[in-house]
Amino acid sequence: MVQPLQIGILNLMHDKLRTRIELQQVLQQTSQAVKLHFYYPRMHYQNRPVPADVQATASPLDLTAVAKLDAFIITGAPLDQLPFAQITYLSELQSLFQVLTKVPQRLYLCWGAMVALHEIYQIGKQKLPRKLFGVYPQQILTADPLLQGLKNHFWAPHARYAEADRAQIEAHPQLKITAVSQAGNLFLVQNRFGNETMLFSHLEYQADSLMAEYHREVAAHPDRHYQLPEMQTTAAFAWQQTQQLFFQNWLNLVAATVNNNGGLIYG
């Protein structure tokens, strides 16, 4: 009997339940058997009770358990307008990154990608002139197993106020940019060893997730003006194929790395 891949997820998104459901959908509807372990950062709730919805959807981060996993995901977070130094649980993330060197594959999503690049590779981030928010065509710069089955101009959703410094990434000897949007915004960055992936698109989003994010921001700050998602396509779920192919490719990569006893399978 094939053992399922053991995948940990640090869920930092605002809507914990929606994010859990989305990641369950995209990771459990592939040909790879997986078991998901959801966590929350302990330090984020050190001076207050852990909300019931957080306790219901995740466990406190356990670094000993994380070290035994096959792969780990850090989600996005509504923190991209804050300096990293102001994140209340940054030291816990730093400890996590140290432990993740023992985990065969790591995937960082949106803000998770930004903080991983900053803490591991000293890559800065910059605020964008306005929120990058919508569905855009993407351009493949370098063929890669994670992009297998995708062609140039594939669709992907983006939702962020900041961007990791592209020039610093391009100058870093251990990093490579494999895909960007047609406007030049980052889509996919990887390390040269093939075991760390920084995905700047919210590919886990379902068809209604962008509008749900818009309504959440409006409800939180009704006095502010928020832009609707910019849809450069008329298809309601234009990135569905991208989503399916990417997560299948990533899980295939996890399985191949694990079967290779954690060894690097491409450089």
Side-chain angles (χ1 to χ4, degrees):
M1 181 177 179
V2 177
Q3 294 297 315
L5 298 171
Q6 304 291 324
I7 299 176
I9 300 172
L10 185 65
N11 187 355
L12 305 175
M13 291 289 280
H14 183 274
D15 191 332
K16 303 291 189 295
L17 179 58
R18 171 183 278 268
T19 301
R20 180 187 172 103
I21 292 172
E22 288 174 340
L23 287 169
Q24 286 174 325
Q25 287 178 330
V26 300
L27 293 169
Q28 293 180 332
Q29 295 181 7
T30 69
S31 62
Q32 297 286 353
V34 301
K35 184 174 182 180
L36 305 180
H37 308 266
F38 288 85
Y39 298 101
Y40 64 83
R42 296 170 183 265
M43 291 184 65
H44 189 48
Y45 305 103
Q46 59 185 331
N47 296 317
R48 58 191 174 104
V50 179
D53 63 324
V54 175
Q55 293 188 60
T57 58
S59 302
L61 184 61
D62 181 342
L63 297 182
T64 301
V66 167
K68 301 174 183 178
L69 297 173
D70 298 317
F72 201 87
I73 297 171
I74 298 180
T75 71
L79 301 170
D80 43 343
Q81 298 185 83
L82 289 177
F84 293 120
Q86 293 184 16
I87 306 306
T88 58
Y89 49 88
L90 182 63
S91 63
E92 189 172 9
L93 287 176
Q94 291 167 339
S95 296
L96 173 61
F97 287 129
Q98 292 178 1
V99 171
L100 288 180
T101 60
K102 303 175 183 178
V103 176
Q105 285 289 336
R106 291 88 77 182
L107 174 62
Y108 308 115
L109 307 178
C110 201
W111 183 83
M114 295 181 215
V115 72
L117 285 170
H118 182 263
E119 294 300 320
I120 302 170
Y121 300 101
Q122 295 75 55
I123 302 296
K125 72 178 174 74
Q126 304 165 332
K127 287 187 179 180
L128 293 168
R130 66 186 184 99
K131 185 179 184 180
L132 181 65
F133 190 44
V135 184
Y136 308 94
Q138 313 296 303
Q139 177 182 358
I140 297 173
L141 301 182
T142 304
D144 189 89
L146 290 178
L147 300 174
Q148 184 176 346
L150 294 174
K151 298 180 180 179
N152 266 331
H153 313 302
F154 65 88
W155 296 102
H158 292 264
R160 62 182 183 274
Y161 289 93
E163 180 95 320
D165 192 310
R166 180 171 175 175
Q168 290 182 7
I169 295 170
E170 291 173 331
H172 200 292
Q174 295 182 34
L175 297 172
K176 60 179 180 178
I177 302 173
T178 51
V180 296
S181 74
Q182 285 192 320
N185 294 106
L186 296 170
F187 173 79
L188 192 65
V189 176
Q190 294 165 276
N191 70 354
R192 296 287 179 178
F193 305 109
N195 55 13
E196 281 184 328
T197 300
M198 280 64 71
L199 177 65
F200 283 83
S201 167
H202 275 288
L203 274 189
E204 79 280 9
Y205 273 11
Q206 298 301 303
D208 64 340
S209 298
L210 288 168
M211 283 304 300
E213 179 171 330
Y214 168 78
H215 289 303
R216 176 181 63 78
E217 289 193 323
V218 170
H221 299 284
D223 55 317
R224 301 179 187 176
H225 171 73
Y226 290 97
Q227 67 191 63
L228 286 163
E230 182 180 7
M231 308 297 287
Q232 295 190 0
T233 171
T234 57
F237 197 0
W239 65 95
Q240 185 174 24
Q241 183 186 44
T242 307
Q243 178 188 90
Q244 293 171 344
L245 287 170
F246 177 85
F247 284 105
Q248 180 68 70
N249 291 340
W250 184 70
L251 288 174
N252 290 345
L253 179 61
V254 174
T257 308
V258 171
N259 292 334
N260 197 36
N261 296 318
L264 304 178
I265 62 172
Y266 73 101

Short mmCIF file of all heavy atoms in Angstrom, two decimals, residues 43 87-96:
data_model
loop_
_atom_site.label_atom_id
_atom_site.label_comp_id
_atom_site.label_asym_id
_atom_site.label_seq_id
_atom_site.Cartn_x
_atom_site.Cartn_y
_atom_site.Cartn_z
N MET A 43 3.13 32.12 18.56
CA MET A 43 3.44 33.46 19.05
C MET A 43 2.40 34.50 18.65
O MET A 43 2.28 35.55 19.28
CB MET A 43 4.82 33.89 18.56
CG MET A 43 5.97 33.12 19.18
SD MET A 43 7.58 33.76 18.63
CE MET A 43 7.53 35.41 19.35
N ILE A 87 6.29 41.92 12.23
CA ILE A 87 5.48 40.70 12.33
C ILE A 87 5.70 40.08 13.70
O ILE A 87 6.83 39.78 14.09
CB ILE A 87 5.88 39.70 11.22
CG1 ILE A 87 5.79 40.36 9.83
CG2 ILE A 87 4.99 38.47 11.29
CD1 ILE A 87 4.47 41.00 9.52
N THR A 88 4.63 39.88 14.44
CA THR A 88 4.74 39.47 15.85
C THR A 88 5.34 38.07 16.02
O THR A 88 5.91 37.78 17.07
CB THR A 88 3.36 39.49 16.52
OG1 THR A 88 2.47 38.62 15.80
CG2 THR A 88 2.78 40.90 16.52
N TYR A 89 5.21 37.23 15.02
CA TYR A 89 5.72 35.87 15.13
C TYR A 89 6.91 35.61 14.20
O TYR A 89 7.16 34.47 13.81
CB TYR A 89 4.61 34.85 14.88
CG TYR A 89 3.79 35.10 13.62
CD1 TYR A 89 4.18 34.59 12.38
CD2 TYR A 89 2.61 35.83 13.68
CE1 TYR A 89 3.42 34.80 11.24
CE2 TYR A 89 1.84 36.05 12.54
CZ TYR A 89 2.25 35.53 11.32
OH TYR A 89 1.50 35.75 10.20
N LEU A 90 7.64 36.68 13.87
CA LEU A 90 8.76 36.52 12.94
C LEU A 90 9.81 35.56 13.49
O LEU A 90 10.36 34.73 12.74
CB LEU A 90 9.40 37.88 12.64
CG LEU A 90 10.56 37.84 11.63
CD1 LEU A 90 10.07 37.36 10.27
CD2 LEU A 90 11.22 39.21 11.51
N SER A 91 10.12 35.63 14.78
CA SER A 91 11.14 34.74 15.34
C SER A 91 10.70 33.28 15.25
O SER A 91 11.53 32.38 15.07
CB SER A 91 11.45 35.12 16.79
OG SER A 91 10.32 34.97 17.62
N GLU A 92 9.39 33.03 15.37
CA GLU A 92 8.89 31.66 15.22
C GLU A 92 9.06 31.19 13.78
O GLU A 92 9.41 30.03 13.52
CB GLU A 92 7.43 31.59 15.64
CG GLU A 92 6.88 30.17 15.72
CD GLU A 92 5.48 30.12 16.31
OE1 GLU A 92 4.87 31.19 16.51
OE2 GLU A 92 5.00 29.00 16.58
N LEU A 93 8.83 32.09 12.82
CA LEU A 93 9.06 31.75 11.42
C LEU A 93 10.54 31.47 11.16
O LEU A 93 10.88 30.55 10.41
CB LEU A 93 8.58 32.90 10.51
CG LEU A 93 7.07 33.07 10.35
CD1 LEU A 93 6.78 34.29 9.49
CD2 LEU A 93 6.44 31.84 9.73
N GLN A 94 11.40 32.26 11.78
CA GLN A 94 12.83 32.04 11.61
C GLN A 94 13.24 30.66 12.12
O GLN A 94 14.04 29.96 11.48
CB GLN A 94 13.61 33.15 12.31
CG GLN A 94 13.46 34.51 11.65
CD GLN A 94 13.95 35.67 12.49
OE1 GLN A 94 14.06 35.56 13.72
NE2 GLN A 94 14.25 36.79 11.86
N SER A 95 12.68 30.24 13.25
CA SER A 95 12.95 28.90 13.76
C SER A 95 12.39 27.84 12.81
O SER A 95 13.01 26.79 12.59
CB SER A 95 12.33 28.72 15.15
OG SER A 95 12.92 29.61 16.07
N LEU A 96 11.23 28.12 12.24
CA LEU A 96 10.63 27.19 11.29
C LEU A 96 11.52 27.02 10.06
O LEU A 96 11.74 25.89 9.60
CB LEU A 96 9.24 27.69 10.89
CG LEU A 96 8.54 26.91 9.77
CD1 LEU A 96 8.32 25.45 10.17
CD2 LEU A 96 7.21 27.57 9.42
#
